[in-house]
Short mmCIF file of all heavy atoms in Angstrom, two decimals:
data_model
loop_
_atom_site.label_atom_id
_atom_site.label_comp_id
_atom_site.label_asym_id
_atom_site.label_seq_id
_atom_site.Cartn_x
_atom_site.Cartn_y
_atom_site.Cartn_z
N ASP A 154 4.48 60.62 -2.11
CA ASP A 154 4.43 59.61 -3.23
C ASP A 154 3.22 59.78 -4.09
O ASP A 154 3.24 59.64 -5.31
CB ASP A 154 4.51 58.17 -2.68
CG ASP A 154 4.47 57.15 -3.74
OD1 ASP A 154 5.19 57.36 -4.77
OD2 ASP A 154 3.81 56.15 -3.58
N ASP A 155 2.08 60.09 -3.47
CA ASP A 155 0.85 60.26 -4.20
C ASP A 155 0.16 61.62 -4.00
O ASP A 155 -1.03 61.74 -4.03
CB ASP A 155 -0.12 59.14 -3.85
CG ASP A 155 -0.61 59.20 -2.43
OD1 ASP A 155 0.11 59.85 -1.64
OD2 ASP A 155 -1.65 58.63 -2.19
N ALA A 156 1.00 62.64 -3.76
CA ALA A 156 0.45 63.97 -3.39
C ALA A 156 -0.51 64.46 -4.53
O ALA A 156 -1.45 65.16 -4.21
CB ALA A 156 1.60 64.94 -3.16
N ASP A 157 -0.18 64.21 -5.77
CA ASP A 157 -0.96 64.69 -6.86
C ASP A 157 -1.81 63.62 -7.50
O ASP A 157 -2.09 63.69 -8.70
CB ASP A 157 -0.08 65.34 -7.93
CG ASP A 157 0.61 66.54 -7.36
OD1 ASP A 157 0.05 67.28 -6.55
OD2 ASP A 157 1.79 66.76 -7.73
N ASP A 158 -2.19 62.58 -6.75
CA ASP A 158 -2.81 61.44 -7.35
C ASP A 158 -4.27 61.68 -7.63
O ASP A 158 -4.86 60.94 -8.42
CB ASP A 158 -2.68 60.21 -6.33
CG ASP A 158 -2.95 58.93 -7.02
OD1 ASP A 158 -2.62 58.75 -8.22
OD2 ASP A 158 -3.62 58.05 -6.36
N ASN A 159 -4.85 62.77 -7.12
CA ASN A 159 -6.24 63.17 -7.37
C ASN A 159 -7.19 62.04 -7.10
O ASN A 159 -8.12 61.79 -7.80
CB ASN A 159 -6.35 63.61 -8.85
CG ASN A 159 -5.62 64.80 -9.12
OD1 ASN A 159 -5.44 65.75 -8.30
ND2 ASN A 159 -5.04 64.93 -10.33
N THR A 160 -6.97 61.26 -6.02
CA THR A 160 -7.89 60.28 -5.64
C THR A 160 -8.53 60.59 -4.28
O THR A 160 -7.97 61.18 -3.44
CB THR A 160 -7.18 58.92 -5.51
OG1 THR A 160 -8.13 57.92 -5.05
CG2 THR A 160 -6.08 58.99 -4.47
N ASP A 161 -9.85 60.25 -4.19
CA ASP A 161 -10.61 60.50 -3.01
C ASP A 161 -10.59 59.35 -2.08
O ASP A 161 -11.18 59.41 -1.03
CB ASP A 161 -12.09 60.85 -3.38
CG ASP A 161 -12.14 62.14 -4.20
OD1 ASP A 161 -11.38 63.03 -3.92
OD2 ASP A 161 -13.06 62.23 -5.10
N ASN A 162 -9.96 58.30 -2.44
CA ASN A 162 -9.95 57.09 -1.63
C ASN A 162 -8.77 57.15 -0.63
O ASN A 162 -7.59 57.01 -1.03
CB ASN A 162 -9.81 55.87 -2.55
CG ASN A 162 -10.05 54.62 -1.79
OD1 ASN A 162 -9.76 54.42 -0.60
ND2 ASN A 162 -10.74 53.59 -2.45
N ASP A 163 -9.02 57.36 0.61
CA ASP A 163 -7.98 57.48 1.61
C ASP A 163 -7.13 56.19 1.70
O ASP A 163 -5.96 56.23 1.95
CB ASP A 163 -8.54 57.83 2.97
CG ASP A 163 -9.12 59.22 3.00
OD1 ASP A 163 -8.64 60.04 2.22
OD2 ASP A 163 -9.98 59.47 3.87
N GLN A 164 -7.77 55.07 1.53
CA GLN A 164 -7.07 53.81 1.60
C GLN A 164 -6.15 53.68 0.47
O GLN A 164 -4.98 53.16 0.63
CB GLN A 164 -8.09 52.62 1.58
CG GLN A 164 -8.87 52.50 2.90
CD GLN A 164 -9.83 51.31 2.87
OE1 GLN A 164 -10.33 50.98 1.81
NE2 GLN A 164 -10.06 50.79 4.01
N CYS A 165 -6.58 54.14 -0.75
CA CYS A 165 -5.62 54.07 -1.86
C CYS A 165 -4.43 55.01 -1.66
O CYS A 165 -3.32 54.67 -2.00
CB CYS A 165 -6.36 54.52 -3.19
SG CYS A 165 -7.61 53.29 -3.75
N SER A 166 -4.68 56.16 -1.04
CA SER A 166 -3.61 57.13 -0.81
C SER A 166 -2.61 56.53 0.18
O SER A 166 -1.40 56.67 0.02
CB SER A 166 -4.19 58.43 -0.20
OG SER A 166 -5.05 59.02 -1.18
N GLN A 167 -3.15 55.91 1.26
CA GLN A 167 -2.26 55.30 2.25
C GLN A 167 -1.41 54.17 1.63
O GLN A 167 -0.26 54.03 1.83
CB GLN A 167 -3.11 54.73 3.40
CG GLN A 167 -2.26 54.02 4.54
CD GLN A 167 -1.30 54.96 5.19
OE1 GLN A 167 -1.66 56.15 5.35
NE2 GLN A 167 -0.20 54.47 5.66
N CYS A 168 -2.08 53.42 0.75
CA CYS A 168 -1.43 52.24 0.13
C CYS A 168 -0.34 52.78 -0.85
O CYS A 168 0.76 52.18 -0.97
CB CYS A 168 -2.43 51.41 -0.63
SG CYS A 168 -1.77 49.85 -1.25
N ALA A 169 -0.59 53.90 -1.49
CA ALA A 169 0.38 54.45 -2.49
C ALA A 169 1.61 54.84 -1.82
O ALA A 169 2.71 54.90 -2.41
CB ALA A 169 -0.30 55.63 -3.27
N ARG A 170 1.56 55.21 -0.51
CA ARG A 170 2.73 55.72 0.20
C ARG A 170 3.55 54.58 0.73
O ARG A 170 4.59 54.77 1.29
CB ARG A 170 2.32 56.64 1.35
CG ARG A 170 1.89 58.00 0.90
CD ARG A 170 1.76 58.99 2.04
NE ARG A 170 0.73 58.64 2.95
CZ ARG A 170 -0.54 59.08 2.84
NH1 ARG A 170 -0.82 59.88 1.85
NH2 ARG A 170 -1.43 58.82 3.71
N ASN A 171 3.02 53.33 0.60
CA ASN A 171 3.79 52.19 1.06
C ASN A 171 4.80 51.79 0.06
O ASN A 171 4.54 51.42 -1.06
CB ASN A 171 2.76 50.97 1.26
CG ASN A 171 3.48 49.80 1.96
OD1 ASN A 171 4.64 49.49 1.66
ND2 ASN A 171 2.70 49.17 2.79
N LEU A 172 6.05 52.01 0.42
CA LEU A 172 7.17 51.79 -0.53
C LEU A 172 7.34 50.38 -0.93
O LEU A 172 7.81 50.06 -2.00
CB LEU A 172 8.45 52.34 0.10
CG LEU A 172 9.70 52.49 -0.85
CD1 LEU A 172 9.35 53.44 -1.98
CD2 LEU A 172 10.92 53.04 -0.04
N LEU A 173 7.01 49.44 -0.01
CA LEU A 173 7.11 48.05 -0.37
C LEU A 173 6.12 47.65 -1.46
O LEU A 173 6.51 46.92 -2.35
CB LEU A 173 6.90 47.20 0.92
CG LEU A 173 7.13 45.73 0.78
CD1 LEU A 173 8.63 45.42 0.76
CD2 LEU A 173 6.55 44.98 1.97
N HIS A 174 4.94 48.13 -1.29
CA HIS A 174 3.82 47.75 -2.27
C HIS A 174 3.56 48.94 -3.21
O HIS A 174 3.13 50.01 -2.71
CB HIS A 174 2.61 47.41 -1.47
CG HIS A 174 1.35 47.03 -2.32
ND1 HIS A 174 0.09 47.21 -1.90
CD2 HIS A 174 1.32 46.51 -3.60
CE1 HIS A 174 -0.72 46.77 -2.89
NE2 HIS A 174 0.00 46.39 -3.88
N ILE A 175 3.74 48.75 -4.49
CA ILE A 175 3.37 49.78 -5.51
C ILE A 175 2.12 49.22 -6.16
O ILE A 175 2.11 48.46 -7.03
CB ILE A 175 4.52 49.91 -6.54
CG1 ILE A 175 5.83 50.16 -5.90
CG2 ILE A 175 4.13 51.05 -7.47
CD1 ILE A 175 5.90 51.42 -4.99
N PRO A 176 0.96 49.76 -5.74
CA PRO A 176 -0.31 49.22 -6.20
C PRO A 176 -0.77 49.77 -7.48
O PRO A 176 -0.42 50.93 -7.88
CB PRO A 176 -1.32 49.61 -5.09
CG PRO A 176 -0.77 50.92 -4.58
CD PRO A 176 0.76 50.79 -4.73
N PHE A 177 -1.47 48.94 -8.32
CA PHE A 177 -2.13 49.50 -9.53
C PHE A 177 -3.60 49.16 -9.48
O PHE A 177 -4.05 48.28 -8.73
CB PHE A 177 -1.46 48.96 -10.82
CG PHE A 177 -1.54 47.47 -10.94
CD1 PHE A 177 -2.59 46.78 -11.40
CD2 PHE A 177 -0.37 46.72 -10.59
CE1 PHE A 177 -2.65 45.42 -11.56
CE2 PHE A 177 -0.40 45.32 -10.74
CZ PHE A 177 -1.49 44.65 -11.17
N GLY A 178 -4.39 49.94 -10.22
CA GLY A 178 -5.82 49.73 -10.19
C GLY A 178 -6.30 48.36 -10.72
O GLY A 178 -5.62 47.74 -11.50
N ARG A 179 -7.36 47.96 -10.21
CA ARG A 179 -7.89 46.65 -10.63
C ARG A 179 -8.24 46.63 -12.10
O ARG A 179 -8.86 47.58 -12.63
CB ARG A 179 -9.13 46.33 -9.76
CG ARG A 179 -9.81 44.99 -10.11
CD ARG A 179 -10.71 44.52 -9.01
NE ARG A 179 -9.96 44.15 -7.82
CZ ARG A 179 -10.45 43.78 -6.73
NH1 ARG A 179 -11.73 43.77 -6.51
NH2 ARG A 179 -9.68 43.46 -5.68
N ILE A 180 -7.88 45.57 -12.73
CA ILE A 180 -8.25 45.38 -14.16
C ILE A 180 -9.63 44.78 -14.16
O ILE A 180 -9.84 43.59 -13.77
CB ILE A 180 -7.24 44.42 -14.82
CG1 ILE A 180 -5.88 45.10 -14.83
CG2 ILE A 180 -7.67 44.24 -16.35
CD1 ILE A 180 -4.78 44.29 -15.41
N MET A 181 -10.62 45.55 -14.61
CA MET A 181 -11.98 45.13 -14.54
C MET A 181 -12.29 43.94 -15.47
O MET A 181 -11.68 43.78 -16.48
CB MET A 181 -12.94 46.33 -14.93
CG MET A 181 -12.62 47.54 -14.10
SD MET A 181 -12.67 47.28 -12.30
CE MET A 181 -14.45 46.98 -12.10
N GLY A 182 -13.28 43.11 -15.12
CA GLY A 182 -13.69 42.01 -15.95
C GLY A 182 -12.86 40.78 -15.66
O GLY A 182 -13.02 39.81 -16.37
N MET A 183 -12.04 40.83 -14.61
CA MET A 183 -11.22 39.65 -14.33
C MET A 183 -11.51 39.14 -12.93
O MET A 183 -11.40 39.90 -11.98
CB MET A 183 -9.69 39.96 -14.42
CG MET A 183 -9.26 40.24 -15.85
SD MET A 183 -7.47 40.37 -15.90
CE MET A 183 -7.22 40.56 -17.63
N SER A 184 -11.99 37.90 -12.78
CA SER A 184 -12.27 37.32 -11.54
C SER A 184 -12.18 35.82 -11.69
O SER A 184 -13.10 35.15 -12.18
CB SER A 184 -13.63 37.73 -11.04
OG SER A 184 -13.94 37.02 -9.81
#
Side-chain angles (χ1 to χ4, degrees):
D154 180 42
D155 65 337
D157 298 324
D158 197 37
N159 296 324
T160 177
D161 295 326
N162 192 325
D163 291 337
Q164 290 181 327
C165 290
S166 298
Q167 179 65 30
C168 190
R170 286 193 292 270
N171 189 321
L172 191 60
L173 188 73
H174 179 207
I175 308 299
F177 59 83
R179 176 161 293 176
I180 301 178
M181 308 305 292
M183 291 188 177
S184 175

